[in-house]
Amino acid sequence: MRYQVDWYSPDLVRIGTLQAFNTLSIVRTENEVGALVMTLPSHGFDTNSFKVGQYLEVWRETHGVSRLFGETAYFVQGWEFYSKGGQHLVAVYAKDLNFLLSTRIVYAASGSTNAELTDYADDMMKVIVTNELGSGAASTRRVEGLTVQAEVGQSVEITRGFAYGNVLGVVQDISGSATEQGTYTVFDMVRTGVGAFEFRTYVGQRGADHRRGSGDPRFVGEVYGNLEDPRLGFYHGEEWNFVYCGGQGEGESRVIKTASDAARIGQGYPYNRKEYWRDARHQETDDGVQSDAYAALAEGKPKVVMTGKLLDTPGMQFGRDYDFGDVVSVEAFNTAIDCHVASVAINYAAEGGETIDISLRGELE
């Protein structure tokens, strides 16, 4: 196993390649800002060697093939020089491309066309990113090198208002709302070249479909020797099944919409009606309030959740047989659930080699 980090200046002039790490730690999680931390001997570097915004790409070589890790790149955000055990070191801290989404707000007034949309959730996210970071933004707000994937309308249709919200938080909310309503929808900033990246959305799964019925399954379980610390939970304590959602207006004139699930209310025992209030004053239209009500109802579903850590084995290895964002079939406690490879953490040390911590998450429908 071998790693190298290609190192570029903020204006994308190549500085060199970093390989002599003491440690290299990387975390990639769906719909979140990923992080990179590397420590190196400080010999050959000084306090001016690193600059905010320097651009890093991580390449991981396995079985003689070098691949870009996680389809992303990283922007340096901090560094420190320190001494440990008599050795002088430098630590470099960087964030992945999703960080760019956190650097903009939805700069649009409540009720304006850029702050209130009815659209498919995947396309809605693309419109927001285009308007606030891409070609639709003012020239001073555009992110150089950014493109946005074409709209395809594959997710659920929703109405949302998001005036002055942070773009990362807004697209996270839209993604979560669509997923809770039954259409798994995630996003990512994908590196397409040095200093070039594209905002993309994914419906069903971010990566490859290796579900049990996919025709190309990947099986995970203690019986296969590749699952550690499985947990299967049945959770009803946070359920709600009748939602009152309040929009704009006061007193008797306030807009109120409801959403309910009669099957869940009548299931199990006679005390299962569980009401919930959602404030949706930020929504400018009745349809927006109703969309919030349905989103809240979906969020209140009881859950059957499988989690665990996926282990590399000779027959099934990360980067060869499955990757970040794929779906695999997980078996535990006589139950099979399709789980997303939702988070990957890699730690590499000059002494000790590589460890991979892969978190799985899936819900029984």
Side-chain angles (χ1 to χ4, degrees), residues 59-351:
W59 296 83
R60 177 176 181 261
E61 183 181 307
T62 56
H63 309 288
V65 178
S66 184
R67 297 183 179 88
L68 180 76
F69 175 76
E71 292 189 301
T72 194
Y74 300 84
F75 294 107
V76 171
Q77 295 297 300
W79 55 97
E80 59 184 0
F81 290 81
Y82 65 102
S83 179
K84 183 177 181 180
Q87 185 179 18
H88 288 180
L89 301 168
V90 57
V92 180
Y93 306 94
K95 296 182 179 182
D96 75 5
L97 296 177
N98 282 341
F99 158 74
L100 294 170
L101 299 171
S102 72
T103 66
R104 299 291 189 276
I105 66 166
V106 178
Y107 187 60
S110 179
S112 67
T113 55
N114 281 1
E116 181 88 28
L117 292 174
T118 297
D119 205 343
Y120 296 103
D122 51 340
D123 290 349
M124 184 181 293
M125 290 188 281
K126 292 170 184 173
V127 169
I128 293 167
V129 173
T130 297
N131 289 343
E132 309 306 331
L133 289 84
S135 60
S139 59
T140 55
R141 303 182 70 219
R142 287 179 200 150
V143 172
E144 188 175 349
L146 171 66
T147 58
V148 177
Q149 185 184 44
E151 297 179 24
V152 290
Q154 293 181 333
S155 188
V156 64
E157 191 171 21
I158 61 175
T159 297
R160 304 289 287 184
F162 30 76
Y164 303 118
N166 178 269
V167 171
L168 176 64
V170 168
V171 295
Q172 286 173 329
D173 286 346
I174 294 168
S175 170
S177 177
T179 297
E180 287 291 346
Q181 292 181 69
T183 303
Y184 190 89
T185 306
V186 294
F187 63 84
D188 203 4
M189 282 281 203
V190 176
R191 180 267 194 197
T192 56
V194 174
F197 23 90
E198 183 172 68
F199 178 80
R200 295 178 183 175
T201 60
Y202 307 83
V203 173
Q205 68 281 327
R206 187 203 178 283
D209 184 359
H210 296 304
R211 291 175 172 86
R212 180 172 297 269
S214 67
D216 186 23
R218 301 287 188 271
F219 296 110
V220 176
E222 291 176 308
V223 67
Y224 304 110
N226 58 7
L227 180 65
E228 185 178 78
D229 299 332
R231 183 184 296 266
L232 177 62
F234 299 78
Y235 306 107
H236 290 261
E238 301 300 321
E239 177 188 7
W240 52 81
N241 47 43
F242 197 106
V243 174
Y244 297 92
C245 194
Q248 297 187 359
E250 300 293 336
E252 297 288 335
S253 299
R254 187 168 187 185
V255 174
I256 304 292
K257 297 294 182 181
T258 64
S260 61
D261 189 323
R264 279 162 48 199
I265 292 172
Q267 178 181 332
Y269 67 116
Y271 312 107
N272 208 45
R273 181 182 173 109
K274 298 178 179 179
E275 297 180 352
Y276 179 78
W277 171 259
R278 170 64 64 89
D279 193 310
R281 291 181 186 274
H282 60 289
Q283 298 293 350
E284 295 286 333
T285 66
D286 289 4
D287 284 345
V289 178
Q290 187 67 68
S291 176
D292 262 17
Y294 285 128
L297 181 65
E299 291 167 13
K301 290 188 303 182
K303 293 177 173 59
V304 180
V305 179
M306 180 87 79
T307 59
K309 295 181 180 179
L310 202 165
L311 307 176
D312 260 14
T313 64
M316 186 169 167
Q317 296 188 9
F318 176 76
R320 186 190 70 184
D321 304 296
Y322 69 98
D323 217 323
F324 172 63
D326 289 0
V327 176
V328 295
S329 179
V330 181
E331 300 174 16
F333 311 107
N334 297 315
T335 303
I337 296 180
D338 295 322
C339 291
H340 295 261
V341 180
S343 182
V344 177
I346 286 183
N347 292 285
Y348 174 80
E351 298 180 5

